[in-house]
Amino acid sequence: MSNYIASTEWIPADGLTLEPNAIAAIKSEENILVVAGPGAGKTELLAQKAGYLFSTNKCPTPKKILAISFKKDSAENLKERIEKRYGKKYGRRFTSLTYDAFAKRMLDQFFMALAEGNRPSAEYSIGDNAEIRKAFFECGFQNDENMREYDLDKLFDAKLASVTLPIQNSNLIERVWNKLLNGSENISPSLTFKMISLLTTYIFQSNDFLKNSLRETYSHVFLDEFQDTTDIQYNLVQTCFQSSRSIITAVGDNKQRIMVWAGARQTVFEDFQKDFSASRIELLMNHRSAPRIVELQKMMYEVLSENPVNIETSARWEQDAGEIELLLTNNDDDESEYISLDIFRQIQNGIKPRDICILVKQTPNNYVSKIIEKLKDNEVRARIEIEYQDLLKESITNLLISFIKLSINRQSPDEREYVMDTIINLKGIGESTFETKYSTEQRNLSSILDEVCERLKSVDSRVDLKNILSNILSYFDVQKLKAMNPTYTQGSFFDRLVERVEELLWNEYEQVSNWDKAIENFVGENSVSIMTIHKSKGLEYEAIYFVGLEDGAFWNFKNQPEEDRRAFFVAISRAKEFLTFSFCKHRSSTRISYQSHNNINEFFELLQQPGNAKVIDLTN
């Protein structure tokens, strides 16, 4: 007897109530573009749609759903929601990847379909700038301007992405491609992610059999954070799925398109609607932010040339909920004093440190060093997330941390499930042998957990921790772990990740001499987060402090006003209830100490409109 339900009987998982437009998007059987502002629940919509398609058999076995996201954490978050709500059965039929990971998976799987002259070595590394530079200079590139390595790397990345396949080896760029594809006596094979996407696109352009196989595999395709899609990524999706029977759902928000500097296609919404005959659905709810903060966001619509939309807020908020402040100070000593005391007050009122975020436009160290020190005086931890954010997204990091937590506390259900799922996947435990093999692996796991727990008690040095991590990896089999993630097989990437986990975890343990506390600190449970606006996309916090609302931070505003306005919009849309902006006349750690707000005065005019923000003026 079938376990599927009729479309009319389906209801959202976990008792969630969705707005009518969201239900329409979930049940749509045509290509659609879902335009959804901040806090509208874009990821939630895709997770619910996957559940709908599986439970109603609209995505019939053995077909799958492919979800492609711009950011790695978005891809993983979506996958986790599916498995949590609908179990591993459906999770195995839901492929969630970034554009880069999807392109790489396809290239690694089908690279033999390329003709020999356009086929990369199976041993290629990812984006080795040193090898790329050597290839350019070996092929005759002249660096007349004596550019810095950083600028050269940007130039070479752009040049490598400009090639048209198949390569003929007839000009400098094509000769460089040839060296990077195959390597030479002095150069190891190395590909950028843009090169990988171009090669993958060419595979499907030139091989209808593979393209049709891909289309038959995935009955539905989700495109998350669609506003940040680049030309190369859009061409890949277009090649793979245009005019196919696969149903495409693209989700995004033009107001949050802040990746133009990275090549985001500015007309991607219009192009998608035209090329894929897609209809447009707009979500009208903001489930995240308090009404006063939502009102500020709505005032930005006209500035961003967006049609005004009657955004509704959650019923959980009082009508006048939300606090917005504009802090004006003479120097960063006064600024750090005010912000650190305000953050301390928020924590005293019950907000957890991890629910507070300090945002900057760029170069966090130039804006927050004094705030970090002042917070430390009040025994509040704060850290710049740049070195942690990407590391904590890695599956090997999660596995090592979960394993150590489980060794310390066997009653950790989430960690046990994560570790056992990894074992099941690595050992290839199927349904037919599940009971006997599962029991055996449980016993083996218990033994190694006991050993790790005892060794953790006597750790005296980083070398001891290194040996413990090595034993954990050996238990799982390093080669099998690498095989689960294609990027881990490239060069020394995997080893560098493990070494970084070891280094940062040891740093935390040295400070507290307690493994539970060290792990909490490592994953950021007890810290106020500090990050750039770009790194904050997709995240939300109870309280946001934007430090440096100044011309010096928005130094390129005159050349890219639209992108900087969207960056400002993203900043104000991360906050749930509390939002503070700070302007400092004299900033001691920036290249130009005297700050102004002449170029970005429109932001100040917006905040200073009656009823928008409370102005805290400490300059008098």
Side-chain angles (χ1 to χ4, degrees):
M1 184 174 178
S2 172
N3 292 322
Y4 301 121
I5 62 174
S7 172
T8 54
E9 296 176 359
W10 178 84
I11 58 173
D14 289 351
L16 293 178
T17 300
L18 303 179
E19 63 178 278
N21 282 6
I23 297 293
I26 287 170
K27 293 188 174 184
S28 174
E29 296 186 11
E30 60 181 16
N31 295 337
I32 56 172
L33 169 67
V34 180
V35 179
K42 294 182 283 292
T43 302
E44 184 60 47
L45 180 142
L46 293 178
Q48 295 284 353
K49 180 156 188 168
Y52 167 78
L53 293 171
F54 287 136
S55 58
T56 60
N57 204 33
K58 298 290 184 182
C59 175
T61 307
K63 291 185 181 294
K64 299 180 180 181
I65 298 172
L66 171 65
I68 307 179
S69 300
F70 191 82
K71 292 170 62 177
K72 186 172 184 178
D73 52 347
S74 299
E76 292 179 351
N77 182 21
L78 187 51
K79 176 80 169 179
E80 288 169 5
R81 290 198 197 196
I82 299 298
E83 293 187 347
K84 181 179 180 180
R85 299 233 171 101
Y86 301 102
K88 302 293 179 182
K89 175 184 176 183
Y90 288 153
R92 285 190 286 271
R93 291 173 55 205
F94 188 85
T95 303
S96 187
L97 302 165
T98 63
Y99 280 104
D100 289 340
F102 170 68
K104 187 178 187 306
R105 178 180 288 192
M106 294 297 98
L107 177 63
D108 292 348
Q109 189 171 349
F110 301 126
F111 76 103
M112 290 301 294
L114 292 164
E116 188 170 346
N118 291 273
R119 184 188 308 153
S121 165
E123 305 301 320
Y124 71 87
S125 62
I126 300 290
D128 189 325
N129 287 330
E131 297 302 314
I132 292 171
R133 282 186 230 116
K134 281 196 294 184
F136 267 92
F137 286 116
E138 201 170 283
C139 289
F141 175 81
Q142 298 295 318
N143 185 18
D144 296 331
E145 300 178 9
N146 295 314
M147 285 189 286
R148 299 173 301 164
E149 285 187 352
Y150 173 77
D151 294 319
L152 274 176
D153 293 338
K154 287 174 59 180
L155 175 65
F156 292 162
D157 184 57
K159 285 184 174 295
L160 289 169
S162 66
V163 76
T164 300
L165 296 175
I167 59 171
Q168 306 295 330
N169 212 30
S170 60
N171 57 44
L172 183 143
I173 304 301
E174 292 189 340
R175 293 197 299 274
V176 173
W177 260 76
N178 184 57
K179 282 189 179 292
L180 293 175
L181 285 172
N182 304 297
S184 66
E185 184 177 347
N186 301 315
I187 297 170
S188 299
S190 182
L191 305 179
T192 67
F193 276 116
K194 290 178 182 177
M195 293 173 70
I196 290 171
S197 290
L198 289 171
L199 287 165
T200 301
T201 301
Y202 180 60
I203 287 173
F204 291 118
Q205 283 176 341
S206 57
N207 193 309
D208 286 341
F209 175 79
L210 292 179
K211 180 168 63 179
N212 291 333
S213 296
L214 180 71
R215 293 175 172 186
E216 286 300 312
T217 300
Y218 298 108
S219 64
H220 293 76
V221 179
F222 298 165
L223 304 174
D224 198 9
E225 298 177 291
F226 193 54
Q227 74 279 349
D228 291 327
T229 303
T230 67
D231 287 343
I232 290 176
Q233 293 164 348
Y234 183 77
N235 290 337
L236 174 59
V237 170
Q238 194 176 15
T239 297
C240 291
F241 297 109
Q242 187 179 17
S243 302
S244 72
R245 290 185 296 178
S246 302
I247 298 173
I248 318 294
T249 300
V251 179
D253 179 16
N254 249 340
K255 299 182 295 301
Q256 299 184 65
R257 176 170 43 78
I258 60 174
M259 302 299 289
V260 173
W261 62 273
R265 187 183 184 111
Q266 298 190 46
T267 58
V268 70
F269 282 12
E270 296 85 351
D271 294 341
F272 176 74
Q273 286 185 260
K274 175 177 174 291
D275 296 335
F276 288 82
S277 301
S279 57
R280 176 181 173 123
I281 296 177
E282 294 192 1
L283 301 191
L284 305 177
M285 282 290 297
N286 184 321
H287 300 277
R288 174 189 302 153
S289 300
R292 291 195 61 207
I293 295 176
V294 171
E295 286 302 312
L296 184 65
Q297 295 170 21
K298 288 162 67 173
M299 291 179 185
M300 287 293 296
Y301 277 58
E302 184 177 351
V303 177
L304 297 172
S305 302
E306 292 284 326
N307 294 325
V309 179
N310 187 26
I311 300 297
E312 301 175 17
T313 55
S314 170
R316 69 189 176 95
W317 296 110
E318 297 290 335
Q319 188 173 0
D320 62 347
E323 295 182 15
I324 306 171
E325 290 184 349
L326 173 61
L327 172 66
L328 309 175
T329 63
N330 284 317
N331 55 66
D332 44 12
D333 288 318
D334 292 343
E335 176 189 66
S336 61
E337 181 76 23
Y338 181 91
I339 289 178
S340 60
L341 286 176
D342 200 59
I343 289 175
F344 182 70
R345 176 182 63 82
Q346 296 279 23
I347 294 172
Q348 292 294 99
N349 289 338
I351 296 181
K352 295 178 180 178
R354 69 167 183 260
D355 290 327
I356 300 172
C357 180
I358 300 172
L359 285 182
V360 297
K361 179 66 163 61
Q362 57 192 2
T363 55
N365 279 317
N366 291 347
Y367 293 87
V368 300
S369 56
K370 290 187 177 182
I371 297 174
I372 292 174
E373 291 304 313
K374 286 288 186 180
L375 286 171
K376 192 181 296 183
D377 292 342
N378 287 315
E379 298 184 342
V380 176
R381 290 170 54 93
R383 73 181 189 192
I384 298 173
E385 294 292 342
I386 291 173
E387 60 181 338
Y388 286 89
Q389 214 167 354
D390 292 335
L391 185 65
L392 290 172
K393 299 171 190 173
E394 294 291 342
S395 58
I396 190 59
T397 305
N398 292 328
L399 180 60
L400 290 171
I401 295 302
S402 295
F403 199 95
I404 292 175
K405 288 180 70 174
L406 187 59
S407 72
I408 298 168
N409 179 11
R410 302 300 176 82
Q411 306 304 315
S412 302
D414 292 341
E415 284 72 27
R416 177 171 290 278
E417 182 180 8
Y418 189 87
V419 169
M420 284 307 302
D421 284 346
T422 303
I423 292 171
I424 290 169
N425 289 331
L426 290 176
K427 304 286 185 178
I429 300 176
E431 294 183 7
S432 60
T433 59
F434 186 83
E435 288 189 17
T436 54
K437 286 191 175 182
Y438 188 86
S439 298
T440 299
E441 292 303 330
Q442 284 270 37
R443 291 192 296 271
N444 292 340
L445 175 61
S446 181
S447 177
I448 187 70
L449 286 171
D450 287 340
E451 179 184 339
V452 169
C453 185
E454 287 302 312
R455 294 182 65 180
L456 285 171
K457 294 176 183 177
S458 58
V459 166
D460 289 323
S461 68
R462 180 176 163 182
V463 173
D464 293 337
L465 177 59
K466 180 184 182 70
N467 291 333
I468 290 172
L469 296 183
S470 295
N471 280 6
I472 295 172
L473 295 174
S474 296
Y475 166 72
F476 284 102
D477 189 327
V478 172
Q479 295 308 313
K480 288 184 178 179
L481 287 172
K482 288 183 177 181
M484 290 181 67
N485 188 329
T487 59
Y488 291 170
T489 64
Q490 305 300 323
S492 59
F493 181 66
F494 180 88
D495 295 333
R496 293 199 307 272
L497 284 178
V498 174
E499 184 178 2
R500 193 66 176 141
V501 172
E502 169 203 319
E503 177 186 355
L504 294 176
L505 184 56
W506 176 251
N507 289 345
E508 299 292 356
Y509 179 74
E510 273 195 310
Q511 295 179 46
V512 296
S513 299
N514 178 288
W515 284 112
D516 281 321
K517 195 74 171 176
I519 290 173
E520 284 183 4
N521 291 343
F522 175 81
V523 299
E525 284 289 319
N526 305 311
S527 297
V528 173
S529 295
I530 301 168
M531 65 186 72
T532 63
I533 297 173
H534 285 85
K535 283 291 187 180
S536 75
K537 283 195 63 185
L539 303 178
E540 59 184 27
Y541 296 88
E542 291 291 336
I544 288 288
Y545 295 81
F546 184 86
V547 177
L549 190 63
E550 299 149 9
D551 289 343
F554 291 82
W555 58 273
N556 204 26
F557 184 82
K558 289 185 176 179
N559 296 324
Q560 53 175 46
E562 288 302 310
E563 187 166 358
D564 280 349
R565 286 170 185 144
R566 284 174 165 78
F568 179 79
F569 180 84
V570 169
I572 67 177
S573 62
R574 301 306 96 201
K576 293 182 181 179
E577 189 169 7
F578 304 98
L579 177 61
T580 298
F581 293 94
S582 75
F583 168 82
C584 174
K585 284 186 177 180
H586 298 277
R587 194 170 290 284
S588 59
S589 54
T590 54
R591 186 169 56 88
I592 301 174
S593 61
Y594 180 78
Q595 299 294 322
S596 64
H597 56 77
N598 297 327
N599 293 337
I600 60 168
N601 199 53
E602 62 185 69
F603 298 153
F604 282 78
E605 291 177 351
L606 176 66
L607 293 171
Q608 291 172 338
Q609 286 183 27
N612 280 357
K614 178 181 178 182
V615 178
I616 311 295
D617 191 347
L618 304 182
T619 61
N620 298 323

